mmCIF file of all heavy atoms in Angstrom:
data_model
loop_
_atom_site.group_PDB
_atom_site.id
_atom_site.type_symbol
_atom_site.label_atom_id
_atom_site.label_comp_id
_atom_site.label_asym_id
_atom_site.label_seq_id
_atom_site.Cartn_x
_atom_site.Cartn_y
_atom_site.Cartn_z
ATOM 1 N N PRO A 22 14.030 -5.924 4.041
ATOM 2 C CA PRO A 22 13.860 -4.560 3.527
ATOM 3 C C PRO A 22 13.326 -3.606 4.594
ATOM 4 O O PRO A 22 12.580 -4.005 5.483
ATOM 5 C CB PRO A 22 12.841 -4.718 2.405
ATOM 6 C CG PRO A 22 12.807 -6.158 2.085
ATOM 7 C CD PRO A 22 13.223 -6.889 3.323
ATOM 8 N N ASP A 23 13.718 -2.364 4.490
ATOM 9 C CA ASP A 23 13.297 -1.333 5.432
ATOM 10 C C ASP A 23 12.289 -0.421 4.727
ATOM 11 O O ASP A 23 12.659 0.580 4.135
ATOM 12 C CB ASP A 23 14.529 -0.554 5.888
ATOM 13 C CG ASP A 23 14.275 0.225 7.151
ATOM 14 O OD1 ASP A 23 13.332 -0.125 7.879
ATOM 15 O OD2 ASP A 23 15.025 1.176 7.413
ATOM 16 N N LEU A 31 7.597 -3.171 -4.959
ATOM 17 C CA LEU A 31 7.232 -4.353 -5.730
ATOM 18 C C LEU A 31 7.203 -5.498 -4.720
ATOM 19 O O LEU A 31 8.158 -5.670 -3.945
ATOM 20 C CB LEU A 31 8.266 -4.606 -6.823
ATOM 21 C CG LEU A 31 7.859 -5.568 -7.919
ATOM 22 C CD1 LEU A 31 6.608 -5.066 -8.636
ATOM 23 C CD2 LEU A 31 8.992 -5.737 -8.915
ATOM 24 N N VAL A 32 6.085 -6.256 -4.699
ATOM 25 C CA VAL A 32 5.861 -7.237 -3.642
ATOM 26 C C VAL A 32 5.403 -8.563 -4.245
ATOM 27 O O VAL A 32 4.591 -8.587 -5.172
ATOM 28 C CB VAL A 32 4.763 -6.721 -2.671
ATOM 29 C CG1 VAL A 32 4.512 -7.717 -1.566
ATOM 30 C CG2 VAL A 32 5.135 -5.367 -2.106
ATOM 31 N N GLY A 35 2.159 -13.793 -3.698
ATOM 32 C CA GLY A 35 1.805 -15.209 -3.781
ATOM 33 C C GLY A 35 1.383 -15.595 -5.180
ATOM 34 O O GLY A 35 1.287 -14.767 -6.078
ATOM 35 N N MET A 36 1.085 -16.852 -5.365
ATOM 36 C CA MET A 36 0.796 -17.393 -6.688
ATOM 37 C C MET A 36 -0.352 -16.705 -7.409
ATOM 38 O O MET A 36 -0.213 -16.300 -8.543
ATOM 39 C CB MET A 36 0.505 -18.881 -6.586
ATOM 40 C CG MET A 36 1.577 -19.720 -7.130
ATOM 41 S SD MET A 36 1.086 -21.426 -6.894
ATOM 42 C CE MET A 36 1.778 -22.136 -8.344
ATOM 43 N N LEU A 44 1.415 -0.114 -1.876
ATOM 44 C CA LEU A 44 1.687 1.032 -1.026
ATOM 45 C C LEU A 44 1.797 0.572 0.428
ATOM 46 O O LEU A 44 0.899 -0.099 0.941
ATOM 47 C CB LEU A 44 0.551 2.048 -1.155
ATOM 48 C CG LEU A 44 0.582 3.253 -0.222
ATOM 49 C CD1 LEU A 44 1.795 4.136 -0.512
ATOM 50 C CD2 LEU A 44 -0.711 4.047 -0.359
ATOM 51 N N SER A 47 1.587 0.589 6.892
ATOM 52 C CA SER A 47 1.874 0.282 8.299
ATOM 53 C C SER A 47 3.120 1.031 8.774
ATOM 54 O O SER A 47 3.925 1.496 7.976
ATOM 55 C CB SER A 47 2.067 -1.221 8.489
ATOM 56 O OG SER A 47 3.075 -1.720 7.626
ATOM 57 N N ALA A 51 9.317 -3.232 15.219
ATOM 58 C CA ALA A 51 10.508 -3.312 16.066
ATOM 59 C C ALA A 51 10.984 -4.762 16.132
ATOM 60 O O ALA A 51 10.291 -5.678 15.675
ATOM 61 C CB ALA A 51 10.177 -2.787 17.457
ATOM 62 N N ASP A 54 8.530 -7.241 17.510
ATOM 63 C CA ASP A 54 7.272 -7.377 16.764
ATOM 64 C C ASP A 54 7.396 -8.448 15.687
ATOM 65 O O ASP A 54 8.492 -8.845 15.302
ATOM 66 C CB ASP A 54 6.905 -6.051 16.077
ATOM 67 C CG ASP A 54 6.697 -4.913 17.047
ATOM 68 O OD1 ASP A 54 6.236 -5.175 18.173
ATOM 69 O OD2 ASP A 54 6.997 -3.771 16.669
ATOM 70 N N LEU A 61 -1.485 -1.639 0.518
ATOM 71 C CA LEU A 61 -2.635 -1.474 -0.379
ATOM 72 C C LEU A 61 -2.131 -1.633 -1.811
ATOM 73 O O LEU A 61 -1.374 -0.789 -2.297
ATOM 74 C CB LEU A 61 -3.254 -0.080 -0.243
ATOM 75 C CG LEU A 61 -4.058 0.220 0.997
ATOM 76 C CD1 LEU A 61 -4.558 1.659 0.952
ATOM 77 C CD2 LEU A 61 -5.220 -0.727 1.145
ATOM 78 N N PRO A 62 -2.519 -2.692 -2.499
ATOM 79 C CA PRO A 62 -2.160 -2.815 -3.906
ATOM 80 C C PRO A 62 -3.016 -1.856 -4.742
ATOM 81 O O PRO A 62 -4.207 -1.706 -4.462
ATOM 82 C CB PRO A 62 -2.495 -4.254 -4.264
ATOM 83 C CG PRO A 62 -2.804 -4.950 -2.979
ATOM 84 C CD PRO A 62 -3.177 -3.888 -2.000
ATOM 85 N N ARG A 68 -13.801 0.873 -9.940
ATOM 86 C CA ARG A 68 -15.252 0.669 -9.968
ATOM 87 C C ARG A 68 -16.016 1.927 -9.583
ATOM 88 O O ARG A 68 -17.222 1.906 -9.475
ATOM 89 C CB ARG A 68 -15.624 -0.438 -8.995
ATOM 90 C CG ARG A 68 -14.845 -1.710 -9.218
ATOM 91 C CD ARG A 68 -15.187 -2.723 -8.183
ATOM 92 N NE ARG A 68 -16.297 -3.502 -8.706
ATOM 93 C CZ ARG A 68 -16.930 -4.431 -8.043
ATOM 94 N NH1 ARG A 68 -16.596 -4.697 -6.807
ATOM 95 N NH2 ARG A 68 -17.913 -5.095 -8.578
ATOM 96 N N GLY A 69 -15.286 3.008 -9.273
ATOM 97 C CA GLY A 69 -15.955 4.224 -8.841
ATOM 98 C C GLY A 69 -16.350 4.185 -7.375
ATOM 99 O O GLY A 69 -17.194 4.964 -6.938
ATOM 100 N N ARG A 71 -16.288 4.747 -3.366
ATOM 101 C CA ARG A 71 -15.892 5.891 -2.538
ATOM 102 C C ARG A 71 -14.605 5.613 -1.779
ATOM 103 O O ARG A 71 -14.008 6.521 -1.207
ATOM 104 C CB ARG A 71 -17.004 6.245 -1.557
ATOM 105 C CG ARG A 71 -17.313 5.149 -0.564
ATOM 106 C CD ARG A 71 -18.528 5.475 0.265
ATOM 107 N NE ARG A 71 -19.002 4.296 0.942
ATOM 108 C CZ ARG A 71 -19.319 4.263 2.223
ATOM 109 N NH1 ARG A 71 -19.244 5.346 2.950
ATOM 110 N NH2 ARG A 71 -19.742 3.155 2.757
ATOM 111 N N ARG A 82 1.072 2.549 -13.238
ATOM 112 C CA ARG A 82 0.066 2.740 -14.274
ATOM 113 C C ARG A 82 -1.118 3.482 -13.686
ATOM 114 O O ARG A 82 -1.338 3.482 -12.480
ATOM 115 C CB ARG A 82 -0.393 1.380 -14.812
ATOM 116 C CG ARG A 82 0.690 0.708 -15.619
ATOM 117 C CD ARG A 82 0.371 -0.657 -16.158
ATOM 118 N NE ARG A 82 -1.029 -0.967 -16.373
ATOM 119 C CZ ARG A 82 -1.500 -2.193 -16.406
ATOM 120 N NH1 ARG A 82 -0.702 -3.216 -16.219
ATOM 121 N NH2 ARG A 82 -2.763 -2.413 -16.613
ATOM 122 N N GLY A 84 -4.646 4.318 -12.315
ATOM 123 C CA GLY A 84 -5.588 3.504 -11.558
ATOM 124 C C GLY A 84 -5.849 4.148 -10.211
ATOM 125 O O GLY A 84 -5.825 5.372 -10.102
ATOM 126 N N VAL A 91 -6.959 -4.234 1.779
ATOM 127 C CA VAL A 91 -5.810 -4.205 2.688
ATOM 128 C C VAL A 91 -5.183 -5.593 2.749
ATOM 129 O O VAL A 91 -5.877 -6.596 2.881
ATOM 130 C CB VAL A 91 -6.245 -3.776 4.102
ATOM 131 C CG1 VAL A 91 -5.055 -3.710 5.048
ATOM 132 C CG2 VAL A 91 -6.969 -2.451 4.056
ATOM 133 N N THR A 93 -1.795 -7.821 4.513
ATOM 134 C CA THR A 93 -0.656 -7.857 5.423
ATOM 135 C C THR A 93 0.175 -9.097 5.097
ATOM 136 O O THR A 93 -0.367 -10.204 5.012
ATOM 137 C CB THR A 93 -1.118 -7.892 6.893
ATOM 138 O OG1 THR A 93 -1.866 -6.705 7.148
ATOM 139 C CG2 THR A 93 0.067 -7.943 7.838
ATOM 140 N N ILE A 94 1.477 -8.883 4.899
ATOM 141 C CA ILE A 94 2.376 -9.964 4.480
ATOM 142 C C ILE A 94 3.681 -9.911 5.275
ATOM 143 O O ILE A 94 4.011 -8.882 5.849
ATOM 144 C CB ILE A 94 2.699 -9.856 2.975
ATOM 145 C CG1 ILE A 94 3.364 -8.508 2.680
ATOM 146 C CG2 ILE A 94 1.472 -10.049 2.111
ATOM 147 C CD1 ILE A 94 4.296 -8.545 1.517
ATOM 148 N N ARG A 101 11.551 -4.760 -4.089
ATOM 149 C CA ARG A 101 12.332 -3.522 -4.253
ATOM 150 C C ARG A 101 11.422 -2.305 -4.219
ATOM 151 O O ARG A 101 10.252 -2.374 -4.590
ATOM 152 C CB ARG A 101 13.160 -3.540 -5.528
ATOM 153 C CG ARG A 101 12.392 -3.455 -6.809
ATOM 154 C CD ARG A 101 13.343 -3.450 -8.024
ATOM 155 N NE ARG A 101 12.633 -3.788 -9.215
ATOM 156 C CZ ARG A 101 12.005 -2.911 -9.995
ATOM 157 N NH1 ARG A 101 12.041 -1.645 -9.705
ATOM 158 N NH2 ARG A 101 11.362 -3.307 -11.070
ATOM 159 N N GLU A 107 3.656 11.425 -2.857
ATOM 160 C CA GLU A 107 3.766 12.738 -2.241
ATOM 161 C C GLU A 107 2.905 12.733 -0.986
ATOM 162 O O GLU A 107 1.913 12.012 -0.894
ATOM 163 C CB GLU A 107 3.291 13.811 -3.220
ATOM 164 C CG GLU A 107 4.206 13.971 -4.415
ATOM 165 C CD GLU A 107 3.746 15.089 -5.340
ATOM 166 O OE1 GLU A 107 2.946 15.948 -4.907
ATOM 167 O OE2 GLU A 107 4.190 15.092 -6.487
ATOM 168 N N GLU A 112 -1.742 11.144 2.351
ATOM 169 C CA GLU A 112 -2.733 11.561 3.346
ATOM 170 C C GLU A 112 -4.156 11.289 2.864
ATOM 171 O O GLU A 112 -5.024 10.904 3.652
ATOM 172 C CB GLU A 112 -2.560 13.038 3.672
ATOM 173 C CG GLU A 112 -1.317 13.323 4.489
ATOM 174 C CD GLU A 112 -0.980 14.808 4.591
ATOM 175 O OE1 GLU A 112 -1.790 15.648 4.131
ATOM 176 O OE2 GLU A 112 0.098 15.116 5.119
ATOM 177 N N THR A 113 -4.405 11.461 1.566
ATOM 178 C CA THR A 113 -5.724 11.177 1.011
ATOM 179 C C THR A 113 -6.027 9.678 1.096
ATOM 180 O O THR A 113 -7.120 9.276 1.504
ATOM 181 C CB THR A 113 -5.814 11.663 -0.452
ATOM 182 O OG1 THR A 113 -5.486 13.051 -0.489
ATOM 183 C CG2 THR A 113 -7.200 11.457 -1.025
ATOM 184 N N VAL A 114 -5.055 8.842 0.733
ATOM 185 C CA VAL A 114 -5.226 7.389 0.831
ATOM 186 C C VAL A 114 -5.442 6.997 2.289
ATOM 187 O O VAL A 114 -6.351 6.213 2.616
ATOM 188 C CB VAL A 114 -4.006 6.639 0.246
ATOM 189 C CG1 VAL A 114 -4.106 5.142 0.509
ATOM 190 C CG2 VAL A 114 -3.866 6.910 -1.245
ATOM 191 N N GLY A 116 -6.680 8.749 4.692
ATOM 192 C CA GLY A 116 -8.022 9.171 5.108
ATOM 193 C C GLY A 116 -9.092 8.181 4.679
ATOM 194 O O GLY A 116 -10.008 7.869 5.447
ATOM 195 N N LEU A 118 -8.590 4.997 4.063
ATOM 196 C CA LEU A 118 -8.369 3.781 4.833
ATOM 197 C C LEU A 118 -8.987 3.913 6.222
ATOM 198 O O LEU A 118 -9.668 3.005 6.710
ATOM 199 C CB LEU A 118 -6.862 3.486 4.939
ATOM 200 C CG LEU A 118 -6.468 2.228 5.687
ATOM 201 C CD1 LEU A 118 -7.122 0.995 5.086
ATOM 202 C CD2 LEU A 118 -4.956 2.098 5.707
ATOM 203 N N GLY A 123 -13.549 2.584 9.864
ATOM 204 C CA GLY A 123 -14.388 3.199 10.877
ATOM 205 C C GLY A 123 -13.591 3.992 11.897
ATOM 206 O O GLY A 123 -13.996 4.130 13.044
ATOM 207 N N ALA A 125 -12.391 7.188 11.153
ATOM 208 C CA ALA A 125 -12.343 8.574 10.674
ATOM 209 C C ALA A 125 -12.784 9.547 11.741
ATOM 210 O O ALA A 125 -13.524 9.231 12.646
ATOM 211 C CB ALA A 125 -13.203 8.727 9.434
#
Side-chain angles (χ1 to χ4, degrees):
D23 198 21
L31 195 59
V32 180
M36 252 179 146
L44 174 65
S47 55
D54 299 328
L61 287 179
R68 307 176 91 185
R71 63 187 165 133
R82 290 178 26 203
V91 181
T93 299
I94 59 151
R101 70 179 162 88
E107 292 183 18
E112 288 169 7
T113 304
V114 173
L118 181 57

